[in-house]
Amino acid sequence: MGAVNHSYTRTMFLAASISLVLLTGACSSDSDASSPATTSASSASSEAGAPAASSTCPTATPDAAATPEWTLDGDSGSISVVGSTDTAAPAVTVDTPFSVAETQVETLTVGDGPVIADDAEVSVCYMGVNGRTGETFDSSFERGAPVDFPLGGVVAGFQKAIAGQTVGSTVAVAVTSADGYASGNPAAGIEPGDSLIFAISILSAS
């Protein structure tokens, strides 16, 4: 697998850190999961013919006075989300413990690019927050670099958030444990049953 290097490594990290049971075409185990703090994102260019993606993710703190673009009451707790902008990272505020019984997707801003197919290769900036603790367990915004991966190689919650959207959109999703990491991931601080929240900026797709 050496030929795919960082892109493959990052795809497998996303797979491992989000779910072991809902992956398609990938195998992993708890011992494969890397710590979000030490796993670097790939900023490799997308497949030939794909729209050019930004090589960075915005890292500035969002405006504290910004109005949430999405608020959601869960089966327990609630969340509010401010999407990312060209210059600022997103913000996810959680009234813990937050959980949902059904994965819910919200388009925060609609991009003017093409519609993303279920099997597309995408480049995104994202942050993941644990609904139980309200803590960020991974963020390409913090690293300042987007992540490239095939939608067919990650879990249902991430697929549901991105497939059918348009390139350039910002999206938030509240993911059930079943669509997320049902078995837990100690390296990421995720326990079995935890609902996850992702704020995503879709840069390109091919």
Side-chain angles (χ1 to χ4, degrees):
M1 294 296 182
V4 191
N5 55 52
H6 294 298
S7 181
Y8 174 79
T9 300
R10 186 59 190 164
T11 298
M12 292 308 295
F13 167 71
L14 277 173
S17 66
I18 302 169
S19 177
L20 300 179
V21 297
L22 296 176
L23 295 177
T24 56
C27 296
S28 187
S29 68
D30 281 355
S31 62
D32 296 331
S34 301
S35 168
T38 59
T39 302
S40 61
S42 168
S43 58
S45 59
S46 54
E47 296 292 326
S54 169
S55 60
T56 62
C57 298
T59 58
T61 303
D63 182 355
T67 301
E69 295 168 76
W70 187 36
T71 58
L72 176 67
D73 291 328
D75 293 282
S76 66
S78 63
I79 59 172
S80 62
V81 180
V82 176
S84 61
T85 66
D86 289 342
T87 58
V92 177
T93 303
V94 185
D95 177 16
T96 59
F98 171 81
S99 66
V100 287
E102 180 178 352
T103 294
Q104 300 186 50
V105 178
E106 180 75 8
T107 303
L108 306 177
T109 59
V110 179
D112 58 6
V115 175
I116 300 168
D118 293 354
D119 59 352
E121 289 262 354
V122 298
S123 180
V124 305
C125 299
Y126 76 97
M127 69 181 295
V129 177
N130 189 320
R132 175 178 54 83
T133 65
E135 296 180 354
T136 299
F137 61 85
D138 192 18
S139 175
S140 64
F141 291 99
E142 290 181 0
R143 290 185 293 272
V147 177
D148 304 331
F149 58 88
L151 280 183
V154 293
V155 296
F158 228 75
Q159 290 174 318
K160 289 176 180 179
I162 297 173
Q165 301 286 345
T166 54
V167 171
S169 296
T170 59
V171 182
V173 58
V175 179
T176 64
S177 176
D179 278 354
Y181 201 166
S183 300
N185 181 354
I190 300 171
E191 297 181 357
D194 285 353
S195 291
L196 309 176
I197 307 101
F198 290 96
I200 305 166
S201 175
I202 306 170
L203 305 181
S204 71
S206 62

